[in-house]
Amino acid sequence: MATIPLDTAPPKAPTALEWIRKNLFNNWYNSLLTIAGVTLVYFALVSIITWAFTSANWRPITVAPLLYLVGQYPREELWRAGLSLLIISLLLGMSWGVWRNYVRLFAIFLGVLFAVLAVFPLDTPTITVPIRLVMAASAGMVFLGYRLGRIKTILGRYVATLWLVAMILIPLVILPGFSNSSVLPKVPTTVWGGLLITMILSVGGIVLSFPFGVLLALGRRSSLPVVKWFSIIFIEIVRGVPLVTILFMFSIILALFLPTEARIDRVVRALMGIVFFSAAYTAENVRGGLQAIPPGQEEAAKALGLKNFQITSLIVLPQALRLVIPTTVGQFISLFKDTTLVYIVGINDLLGIGNAILNLNPEFVRLQMEVYLFIAVIFWIFSYFMSYASLQLEKALGVGKR
Amino acid sequence: MMSDQDINSQPIILAKEVHKWFDNFHVLKGINMEVMPGEVVVIFGPSGSGKSTFIRTLNRLEEHQKGSIVVDGIELSHDVRNIERVRSEIGMVFQQFNLFPHLTVMQNITLAPIWVRKWNKEKAEEVAMHLLDQVGIPEQAQKFPGQLSGGQQQRVAIARALAMQPKIMLFDEPTSALDPEMIKEVLDAMIILAKSGMTMLVVTHEMGFARAVAHRMYFFDDGTIVENGTPDQIFKNPQENRTKLFLSQILEH
């Protein structure tokens, strides 16, 4: 076997010690900075951890964990929320099996979290054995879904269709029920709350506003004056108004103008406001992507005899949307966090529930820190996984295609 | 493959007094051209002379504002149906290739046959493989355009245009964006095509190509056709001073 002469072999990777010396202690002020930084981080971590495990009082969270999850959803109908959770867990698992990287981390995390929650010691009577069983079953569902997703015949598009069905079924059938049904009696949205509302508003907002935004972006470039001006006026007006104002308009003014029998549900009204708001921003993001596609692409497609809508859907949009993944996901993350604003129109989302618990019980008055930290961590987890998935998607789509 | 019947038949492209303005700039000042089926036409001239604009009016990537253009018996007007019909009969190859970067080479070639000609996937792929063979890169079918060299990309673009089985091929400076060592592979593919009897209009400064396969050459300057003739007439005995000057400039180096 021939050996590679030393001078043509690639340089060896530095050892850990060499790396530390070269990057952290290469001169006196860098050494000083390193020592100061490490000390700071050490003391910050130690004090946070000691606070969290000794002096912090997590009672506002442990006393009513169900409130954070589903709000006032009637406890005798809780099985419907449980069923929804099981469906979502199964689909999440299947997505993990089919799409691998994008959801793997999130699915494993949630599966483990459910398993931990199933046995987590809480001395509150609200967490009954059936609830713990549902949590354990959800953890099982994630991994069962993964096994299902790994079967060759289950394709991505089936899973996507199932997600779509679940997204229609859960918020429109399973959770609200029907006014004259004995199996699924009506549960008005006034008692929905917590993470349930946050999820409905943010997932609904993202899923509905995206196609709407793409249409607006295309409309803005349309050669039909009516379509073009409608899009421009819509986008510019909505972008010029704060989300709070839009939420107020939809929850109060819309209710005033519509006759009582045509009242739209207040969660739906808030969702409409969020969708309008997000669609205008999505439209501008997508327009940026559309502008980045060289005119030669459209010309080549025209020269081949493709029709306009084929050019848009086969050539222009696939390229433009790929370009705007980072900004669009960024915008969806901020939309996700902005859903907390529905608190001011009287909807008890996750943050609203936290505030309600703090306000209702005098012994919790000084415990904002714990409650807000808990809520912040939940928001961070979801936001992090969104940006993680987007990064994976960019990597997968970028390779070899540009 | 050019038979007597072809020569005696109607011109496949008939342009009469074609005018076009970009805002106030008069790009085409009354262009007249007749192209017979099977003819190979080379259009050359200084940049800004309107040669690219002219061939782009033939498949209505540019609209002409005066005069008439009849392609394969169809008059180009605002009728969208007619435009789509004409476009599916005319293949076009661009200076910048304009391949679709998000699709594989195979998908680039089969896209229009599947969506416009409504062929099934198997037939479209069979034709595509045959064309890739013809342009000499069958092994690149599953790659993305970004993974190919410029010369290979332009050959894919030629295959993509041919997949629609067009009656006419337009080439808009097909070798101008290529590195010198890749020009030949593209010209070779074009020469094979010309010899197969395809009607071709080629905007190019590759005079070797013109000499080898062109039936007729048109010299454009300042939005008009200054002179036209067979390659022999143009190279050996140009009539106009502008033609002589231009030829001397591009043939010198």
Side-chain angles (χ1 to χ4, degrees):
Chain A
M1 202 172 75
T3 52
I4 303 169
L6 262 183
D7 54 342
T8 61
K12 277 205 195 79
T15 64
L17 211 64
E18 277 168 0
W19 187 91
I20 288 173
R21 185 175 299 156
K22 191 175 161 226
N23 290 288
L24 299 177
F25 297 97
N26 54 340
N27 55 35
W28 67 269
Y29 53 85
N30 268 0
S31 311
L32 213 63
L33 277 178
T34 303
I35 292 166
V38 167
T39 324
L40 199 71
V41 170
Y42 173 77
F43 280 110
L45 273 183
V46 166
S47 58
I48 289 173
I49 289 168
T50 25
W51 172 80
F53 285 100
T54 57
S55 59
N57 181 352
W58 299 104
R59 284 262 308 146
I61 292 129
T62 55
V63 77
L66 276 183
L67 275 183
Y68 289 95
L69 287 178
V70 294
Q72 303 274 352
Y73 201 88
R75 299 301 181 249
E76 62 274 16
E77 296 295 331
L78 208 56
W79 64 272
R80 285 148 69 169
L83 177 65
S84 309
L85 185 66
L86 289 175
I87 294 173
I88 290 170
S89 302
L90 183 70
L91 286 177
L92 191 71
M94 284 174 83
S95 313
W96 168 26
V98 173
W99 291 311
R100 318 302 292 276
N101 287 354
Y102 310 116
V103 273
R104 182 201 286 136
L105 195 61
F106 190 48
I108 295 177
F109 176 84
L110 274 192
V112 171
L113 183 71
F114 289 147
V116 170
L117 287 179
V119 293
F120 199 77
L122 283 174
D123 55 345
T124 160
T126 56
I127 301 296
T128 55
V129 175
I131 293 174
R132 288 188 185 277
L133 284 179
V134 167
M135 284 297 171
S138 294
M141 279 296 181
V142 173
F143 295 98
L144 174 71
Y146 174 71
R147 299 305 313 171
L148 281 176
R150 294 302 299 133
I151 298 171
K152 284 249 159 28
T153 50
I154 295 192
L155 300 170
R157 60 168 171 272
Y158 298 143
V159 179
T161 314
L162 286 177
W163 269 116
L164 209 64
V165 172
M167 272 189 239
I168 294 168
L169 218 56
I170 290 174
L172 296 181
V173 177
I174 298 181
L175 291 178
F178 307 98
S179 42
N180 49 7
S181 164
S182 56
V183 188
L184 291 174
K186 181 121 186 121
V187 177
T189 57
T190 37
V191 296
W192 300 19
L195 194 59
L196 172 65
I197 280 285
T198 300
M199 280 294 129
I200 285 177
L201 288 179
S202 47
V203 174
I206 290 168
V207 171
L208 296 175
S209 72
F210 185 69
F212 191 16
V214 171
L215 285 180
L216 280 172
L218 293 172
R220 195 167 181 162
R221 286 160 48 106
S222 169
S223 51
L224 306 170
V226 178
V227 176
K228 182 179 175 170
W229 285 102
F230 170 79
S231 307
I232 292 181
I233 291 169
F234 181 95
I235 292 169
E236 294 307 330
I237 288 183
V238 173
R239 288 205 317 154
V241 179
L243 178 56
V244 181
T245 320
I246 292 180
L247 285 175
F248 268 124
M249 269 170 53
F250 273 90
S251 49
I252 296 163
I253 300 176
L254 200 65
L256 287 180
F257 280 112
L258 287 175
T260 17
E261 57 272 18
R263 268 288 149 79
I264 304 170
D265 184 271
R266 64 190 194 125
V267 174
V268 175
R269 273 180 280 153
L271 182 61
M272 281 166 72
I274 289 171
V275 168
F276 269 46
F277 185 76
S278 169
Y281 281 89
T282 307
E284 285 302 274
N285 283 344
V286 172
R287 189 167 70 101
L290 291 174
Q291 279 174 344
I293 306 303
Q297 290 291 306
E298 211 167 308
E299 279 178 4
K302 272 186 191 169
L304 286 168
L306 292 167
K307 294 181 193 315
N308 276 334
F309 81 90
Q310 291 172 331
I311 297 175
T312 304
S313 59
L314 298 171
I315 306 298
V316 179
L317 270 186
Q319 296 185 57
L321 293 184
R322 196 169 68 199
L323 287 177
V324 298
I325 291 171
T327 44
T328 307
V329 172
Q331 190 222 319
F332 285 158
I333 288 174
S334 66
L335 172 73
F336 172 58
K337 294 181 291 183
D338 285 348
T339 56
T340 49
L341 285 172
V342 298
Y343 166 56
I344 60 154
V345 292
I347 296 174
N348 281 322
D349 76 318
L350 191 55
L351 184 66
I353 291 284
N355 279 328
I357 290 177
L358 284 173
N359 292 337
L360 287 179
N361 197 332
E363 58 176 301
F364 295 155
V365 151
R366 295 192 156 276
L367 300 176
Q368 285 100 334
M369 181 74 168
E370 285 83 347
V371 171
Y372 290 146
L373 192 68
F374 171 71
I375 291 170
V377 167
I378 293 181
F379 272 95
W380 180 81
I381 289 169
F382 282 102
S383 304
Y384 177 76
F385 283 115
M386 275 196 254
S387 72
Y388 176 82
S390 124
L391 216 64
Q392 299 291 326
L393 194 62
E394 282 165 48
K395 267 193 211 158
L397 291 178
V399 177
K401 299 195 185 179
R402 269 274 163 199
Chain B
M1 269 177 52
M2 220 160 77
S3 65
D4 293 315
Q5 195 213 331
D6 283 335
I7 290 171
N8 295 331
S9 62
Q10 295 291 312
I12 194 162
I13 293 173
L14 183 58
K16 274 189 189 153
E17 280 302 311
V18 174
H19 285 264
K20 171 157 185 74
W21 288 261
F22 285 128
D23 294 325
N24 287 324
F25 178 60
H26 202 172
V27 221
L28 300 177
K29 303 173 179 171
I31 303 292
N32 290 294
M33 194 181 285
E34 266 183 34
V35 181
M36 289 294 167
E39 231 183 335
V40 176
V41 170
V42 163
I43 297 172
F44 67 111
S47 68
S49 59
K51 52 194 191 307
S52 286
T53 309
F54 174 69
I55 71 163
R56 287 160 59 90
T57 59
L58 298 179
N59 62 353
R60 215 171 173 80
L61 289 184
E62 303 286 357
E63 251 175 58
H64 61 284
Q65 285 132 338
K66 256 171 81 178
S68 76
I69 298 175
V70 180
V71 177
D72 196 26
I74 303 167
E75 161 125 38
L76 286 177
S77 63
H78 287 284
D79 188 335
V80 180
R81 241 345 126 81
N82 276 352
I83 294 172
E84 276 163 5
R85 254 171 73 205
V86 165
R87 280 177 181 163
S88 63
E89 301 302 332
I90 299 184
M92 186 158 193
V93 176
F94 299 85
Q95 183 176 356
Q96 300 296 342
F97 328 137
N98 295 351
L99 293 178
F100 307 129
H102 62 301
L103 302 177
T104 61
V105 165
M106 181 55 88
Q107 289 166 333
N108 263 279
I109 299 174
T110 56
L111 184 81
I114 289 171
W115 288 93
V116 181
R117 290 265 188 265
K118 312 284 181 202
W119 293 356
N120 61 40
K121 202 174 163 218
E122 289 70 36
K123 181 180 177 191
E125 290 191 343
E126 202 186 307
V127 171
M129 264 336 277
H130 177 73
L131 287 167
L132 280 175
D133 233 12
Q134 194 181 316
V135 296
I137 39 173
E139 70 285 356
Q140 312 287 2
Q142 297 312 320
K143 290 198 181 162
F144 286 95
Q147 296 165 304
L148 305 184
S149 73
Q152 290 171 329
Q153 289 194 43
Q154 194 61 301
R155 285 186 280 162
V156 173
I158 293 173
R160 178 177 70 176
L162 288 175
M164 287 291 285
Q165 303 186 328
K167 295 180 177 164
I168 303 164
M169 284 285 284
L170 307 177
F171 292 82
D172 187 2
E173 307 209 28
T175 55
S176 304
L178 294 175
D179 290 335
E181 77 272 19
M182 291 169 185
I183 291 177
K184 188 175 175 295
E185 63 189 53
V186 172
L187 288 180
D188 285 346
M190 289 167 63
I191 288 171
I192 293 174
L193 188 61
K195 288 187 173 156
S196 76
M198 174 66 76
T199 311
M200 289 165 65
L201 274 80
V202 186
V203 173
T204 186
H205 292 150
E206 293 296 332
M207 290 301 137
F209 170 81
R211 204 173 269 137
V213 293
H215 298 116
R216 185 157 284 276
M217 295 175 72
Y218 287 81
F219 175 60
F220 271 56
D221 193 12
D222 196 24
T224 56
I225 294 173
V226 176
E227 182 169 1
N228 80 85
T230 63
D232 255 9
Q233 290 166 341
I234 295 286
F235 288 121
K236 291 184 182 145
N237 189 18
Q239 302 297 308
E240 300 284 334
N241 279 335
R242 278 193 282 177
T243 319
K244 284 180 199 158
L245 183 67
F246 185 76
L247 279 174
S248 72
Q249 281 165 343
I250 62 168
L251 291 175
E252 238 164 40
H253 57 252

